[in-house]
Amino acid sequence: MPAESNFQDVTSSTIRTRTMPQLSGGSEKPRRWIKRYRTETAASTASVLSTVTAFPLDSVKTRMQTYPYAGALDCVRVTYNSEGIRGFFRGVTAPLASVTLVRTISFSIYQRSKYVYSDWMKKHLGFCPLEHVNKNGAFPNLGTIACFGAAGATAGSGITFIACPFELTKLSAQVSVLMANQKNADPQRQAIALSYHNKGTFKTLANIVKHRGFTGMYTGLNLHLLRDTLGTGIYFATYESSKQMLTALSGKDAHKNPIAVLVAGALCGIVSWALIYPIDSVKSIYQRNALMYSKGQKVPVPKIQFFRRDMYRGLGVSMGRSAAVNAVFFSAFEFLKKRINAMKEFVD
């Protein structure tokens, strides 16, 4: 038995010695690539997970913004009775692709922008926000909030031109059944509305181009740009500041405090939506209306009115959805980044 045991050990050792260089050489490049683009890798993976998890709430939010319901439960009941479970996931393909792409680019722009703004502030104002944030027990101040808010606004404005066509397609898919069932006095608009009924993502996009031309894919771009610039600035400023504050109060390092990340993620979604929701409502209403117009026809733009009740239809659902999405997203994002940072460049 001892001899057999020694033979097995030697054989196993020989096999490991012969095969290990091949494994090392084969996995070296992927590891380097993942570590180099850790922000993008973590953001895209976390985005897929969070988008699928909370998409039904996004669908309910859009329906409540564009059509009158007695409340969120009424919207859920009507949608389920008329369209089944599938109705809550109608249009999920577009945001699954777009949100992943947009979030990945957004986080990439944000990460680079905050270093640029931090360096500028250090050079011209004598204060470095990123150095301040990394101090143990440091609380957020006006400088850090300004830096993260400006970086977020830069990211938000940058991704609008990519996100707009996808979001318009998603909205069209989400309300297509409601548009088709709506009685319209104008037969032409009714026919256009019916043409969107029960179409997939790509057929919906082709239908938009058919009725409104290629520029129709950017219907509501100005409203989208305003919403994303302000909303993303508030979003990142709230996340970074609340995470820093919770971390300072707990006395733990941010990477070792998953509760701070979870709460900050949920909070940034709630605060950003609460402050820019009327802009998003007007954007959704305008885009919904525009889908029933042909190319060249002027579409009336609703007025943005803060503190008007009908501008906040679906806000509770939206805040709940956003809290869930961002709590899942940032928890997964920070976890994945931590794991990637811990990866070795080479296999031992």
Side-chain angles (χ1 to χ4, degrees):
M1 286 298 292
E4 184 180 349
S5 177
N6 288 337
F7 174 75
Q8 288 176 343
D9 290 342
V10 171
T11 304
S12 299
S13 176
T14 305
I15 291 171
R16 284 197 296 268
T17 303
R18 289 175 181 174
T19 58
M20 209 60 206
Q22 295 176 350
L23 291 172
S24 177
S27 59
E28 178 185 330
K29 285 185 179 180
R31 283 171 180 263
R32 281 182 173 176
W33 188 90
I34 290 171
K35 283 186 74 73
R36 183 177 180 182
Y37 298 103
R38 54 187 175 275
T39 298
E40 291 80 1
T41 303
S44 58
T45 307
S47 183
V48 170
L49 178 63
S50 60
T51 300
V52 173
T53 301
F55 190 78
L57 289 173
D58 182 72
S59 185
V60 172
K61 183 267 295 185
T62 302
R63 290 164 183 266
M64 290 184 70
Q65 282 181 321
T66 52
Y67 290 92
Y69 288 94
L73 292 178
D74 180 53
C75 181
V76 170
R77 181 183 59 79
V78 172
T79 302
Y80 180 76
N81 289 340
S82 59
E83 303 174 51
I85 292 294
R86 184 182 177 185
F88 296 102
F89 289 93
R90 196 178 296 280
V92 71
T93 307
L96 197 59
S98 67
V99 172
T100 301
L101 177 64
V102 166
R103 269 217 170 121
T104 302
I105 296 173
S106 176
F107 269 70
S108 182
I109 295 173
Y110 172 72
Q111 289 289 338
R112 286 158 178 75
S113 297
K114 73 177 181 181
Y115 281 101
V116 171
Y117 290 128
S118 183
D119 290 343
W120 185 91
M121 292 176 75
K122 183 178 181 180
K123 182 179 179 180
H124 294 88
L125 304 176
F127 172 75
C128 182
L130 293 182
E131 288 179 2
H132 176 78
V133 167
N134 289 323
K135 292 177 182 176
N136 289 331
F139 285 89
N141 58 29
L142 188 60
T144 59
I145 294 170
C147 176
F148 298 137
T154 302
S157 60
I159 52 91
T160 299
F161 299 93
I162 300 170
C164 190
F166 287 104
E167 191 155 327
L168 179 63
T169 303
K170 179 199 73 173
L171 180 141
S172 173
Q174 287 176 330
V175 301
S176 62
V177 175
L178 296 171
M179 285 170 56
N181 292 339
Q182 184 182 15
K183 300 301 179 183
N184 201 309
D186 189 331
Q188 185 182 6
R189 290 182 193 172
Q190 184 69 30
I192 294 173
L194 285 168
S195 71
Y196 287 98
H197 185 58
N198 276 336
K199 279 188 165 58
T201 299
F202 297 107
K203 287 184 178 180
T204 296
L205 189 61
N207 208 41
I208 292 170
V209 173
K210 175 184 175 182
H211 291 294
R212 298 197 47 82
F214 283 101
T215 56
M217 293 189 296
Y218 287 91
T219 299
L221 178 65
N222 292 342
L223 292 166
H224 200 136
L225 180 63
L226 178 63
R227 185 202 68 177
D228 280 3
T229 302
L230 293 176
T232 312
I234 296 167
Y235 176 87
F236 279 112
T238 303
Y239 174 71
E240 297 281 12
S241 299
S242 55
K243 184 178 74 170
Q244 185 187 358
M245 183 177 293
L246 291 167
T247 300
L249 290 171
S250 69
K252 295 181 180 179
D253 181 82
H255 296 294
K256 297 177 182 178
N257 194 350
I259 300 299
V261 172
L262 184 75
V263 174
L267 194 60
C268 74
I270 291 170
V271 172
S272 59
W273 274 114
L275 294 177
I276 56 94
Y277 198 76
I279 301 172
D280 185 64
S281 289
V282 168
K283 179 196 76 72
S284 296
I285 293 167
Y286 175 75
Q287 289 179 325
R288 186 278 313 268
N289 292 343
L291 290 172
M292 293 183 282
Y293 283 75
S294 297
K295 184 180 179 181
Q297 293 181 318
K298 188 174 180 180
V299 184
V301 182
K303 186 178 179 181
I304 299 172
Q305 294 178 298
F306 287 89
F307 309 114
R308 181 175 162 178
R309 187 173 181 178
D310 61 348
M311 287 284 104
Y312 292 90
R313 284 200 309 245
L315 176 60
V317 174
S318 184
M319 290 170 70
R321 178 201 69 86
S322 190
V325 165
N326 288 292
V328 171
F329 174 80
F330 277 109
S331 295
F333 175 74
E334 297 285 2
F335 172 79
L336 289 168
K337 272 193 72 175
K338 182 180 177 182
R339 293 299 297 268
I340 292 169
N341 286 333
M343 285 172 59
K344 294 181 179 179
E345 291 284 356
F346 303 98
V347 179
D348 292 332

